[in-house]
Amino acid sequence: MALSPPPPSPLTVMELTPFRSASALHLKPYLLLWTLEVISFGSPALTAISACRDCKPSSTNCTQICPPYLILYGSGATGGITLVETLDLPGKKVPDFVVGCSLFSSRQPAGIAGFGRGPASLPSQLGLKKFSYCLLSHKFDDTGENSFLVLDSGSASGHKTQNVSYTPFLRNPTVAGKHAFSVYYYVGLRKITVGGERVQIPYRYLSPGSDGNGGTIIDSGTTFTYMSKLVFELVRSSFVKQVKNYERTVDVEFLTGLGLCYNVSGLKTVSLPEMRFHFKGGAEMALPLANYFSITGDADAVCLTMVSDSAFGGGPSIILGNFQMQNFYVEYDLRNGRLGFRPAVMQMTEN
């Protein structure tokens, strides 16, 4: 998939070039990839240290049992025992580093690095003040190419990265029995525009309520941006209203599990309304077309890579996923409480 510069109107253009990778959609995607619940004997970051540190590295007959954990995701689960190790990084050693040793996993990768606000996450355990990443296009999913993750424990000022737009993190809602809300990164998404027209999303969906429902979080572990049913229907209706040159293909929508697909068979380029996210503080994210529509199969259709789940109840109304972050530099400035982003030309390396 190659992109050409957008025309002066609020449209973006995609050149259709079939390729075989994970972003050429053939099967129904697993819709939700963010953590719903953590089941363990106490907080892993606290219990594991107190329960397991009595075992010395030289011990050959340690009988201390570390606490188990079970993490449930919308698409699967992983569980095992919690261990404490010394993490040896170039120029830095981190003692009592908590890591989960997975004993079983369902529909999950072999390893998961947590970057949330929880005590067991990498930023918390490493004492990071900032971290940033650039995500490659999903068209490289089946290749050996990758991009960079930067971990910064020394940032001590309010310095802003050049050409980066910032929006402040919002205060997390505090809800009894809903610890998960405390580890998310909430941002102030003020509006969404499609083709320059504002999507009329009710305020209660854009702002987290005292019960933890509503609002927007950013989560690199979620594939497609998730929207609650009403928000998704409003966004989809905005596209349907403006797109007149292509016919919807219900068969492809059924096969992929995606809610909006257009038949583009035989076409070399496709023009669709531009989509923008408008954040608190004036930051705007203008999405390249490949970040919110993806080709399917051999370029017979393009589908909106945003999803909904009517069965899901409670929590954030919008989860900004990694499909929408392709070819963006994304910065989590934890010291100054803000999220930064800018379009990026990726520098790739091979494994």
Side-chain angles (χ1 to χ4, degrees):
M1 181 185 298
L3 298 179
S4 55
S9 59
L11 295 172
T12 52
V13 177
M14 175 188 295
E15 182 180 333
L16 297 178
T17 305
F19 55 84
R20 295 292 181 182
S21 82
S23 61
L25 306 174
H26 297 280
L27 302 174
K28 286 190 176 182
Y30 300 117
L31 300 185
L32 298 178
L33 296 178
W34 55 292
T35 305
L36 296 180
E37 185 177 1
V38 178
I39 302 174
S40 66
F41 294 105
S43 170
L46 301 178
T47 309
I49 292 176
S50 62
C52 300
R53 66 189 319 163
D54 293 337
C55 294
K56 301 183 182 303
S58 58
S59 176
T60 59
N61 60 351
C62 182
T63 59
Q64 181 68 58
I65 299 177
C66 294
Y69 68 88
L70 173 63
I71 302 178
L72 303 179
Y73 294 81
S75 62
T78 182
I81 58 174
T82 314
L83 305 177
V84 174
E85 299 283 355
T86 296
L87 179 64
D88 194 351
L89 298 172
K92 181 176 183 178
K93 288 189 176 183
V94 183
D96 292 334
F97 183 82
V98 179
V99 61
C101 178
S102 179
L103 300 179
F104 71 91
S105 184
S106 172
R107 296 177 178 174
Q108 296 300 313
I112 301 174
F115 280 84
R117 296 183 182 273
S121 72
L122 273 177
S124 296
Q125 295 198 68
L126 298 182
L128 299 182
K129 303 298 187 296
K130 180 192 298 184
F131 65 92
S132 59
Y133 53 74
C134 288
L135 299 181
L136 288 175
S137 168
H138 276 280
K139 72 180 182 180
F140 295 109
D141 282 353
D142 298 335
T143 72
E145 296 174 330
N146 53 60
S147 53
F148 297 95
L149 168 70
V150 178
L151 308 178
D152 185 353
S153 61
S155 296
S157 70
H159 173 73
K160 293 184 177 181
T161 305
Q162 187 176 8
N163 298 324
V164 169
S165 298
Y166 288 93
T167 185
F169 288 124
L170 302 185
R171 178 175 298 179
N172 293 47
T174 302
V175 182
K178 299 290 185 179
H179 171 73
F181 294 160
S182 67
V183 305
Y184 300 149
Y185 294 102
Y186 282 85
V187 291
L189 181 61
R190 290 295 183 246
K191 64 179 179 179
I192 298 173
T193 55
V194 173
E197 297 183 6
R198 181 171 186 163
V199 181
Q200 298 299 319
I201 301 172
Y203 178 76
R204 68 181 182 276
Y205 291 92
L206 297 176
S207 179
S210 59
D211 58 358
N213 295 331
T216 301
I217 66 171
I218 181 170
D219 181 11
S220 62
T222 296
T223 305
F224 298 152
T225 284
Y226 162 84
M227 298 176 174
S228 61
K229 184 178 180 181
L230 183 139
V231 175
F232 177 79
E233 289 177 348
L234 290 171
V235 170
R236 178 173 60 184
S237 295
S238 187
F239 279 105
V240 171
K241 173 186 174 183
Q242 297 182 45
V243 177
K244 304 298 183 183
N245 296 332
Y246 317 112
E247 293 185 359
R248 284 183 67 177
T249 168
V250 178
D251 290 343
V252 175
E253 291 174 7
F254 176 78
L255 289 172
T256 62
L258 298 174
L260 181 61
C261 297
Y262 290 105
N263 186 348
V264 295
S265 179
L267 300 178
K268 293 183 178 180
T269 61
V270 173
S271 297
L272 291 166
E274 180 193 62
M275 189 173 196
R276 284 180 181 255
F277 295 143
H278 303 254
F279 294 95
K280 181 178 180 180
E284 295 184 12
M285 179 179 284
L287 297 176
L289 186 53
N291 285 29
Y292 60 102
F293 271 91
S294 179
I295 64 172
T296 65
D298 295 318
D300 291 329
V302 293
C303 295
L304 180 66
T305 52
M306 298 181 183
V307 298
S308 182
D309 184 357
S310 59
F312 181 77
S317 293
I318 301 172
I319 304 172
L320 301 179
N322 63 55
F323 221 91
Q324 283 59 58
M325 302 180 212
Q326 297 174 91
N327 294 317
F328 271 86
Y329 167 85
V330 182
E331 176 182 299
Y332 294 70
D333 186 346
L334 305 180
R335 172 176 288 277
N336 296 292
R338 62 195 180 193
L339 175 77
F341 55 85
R342 71 180 179 206
V345 177
M346 304 303 300
Q347 293 183 342
M348 298 175 292
T349 182
E350 293 190 0
N351 293 329

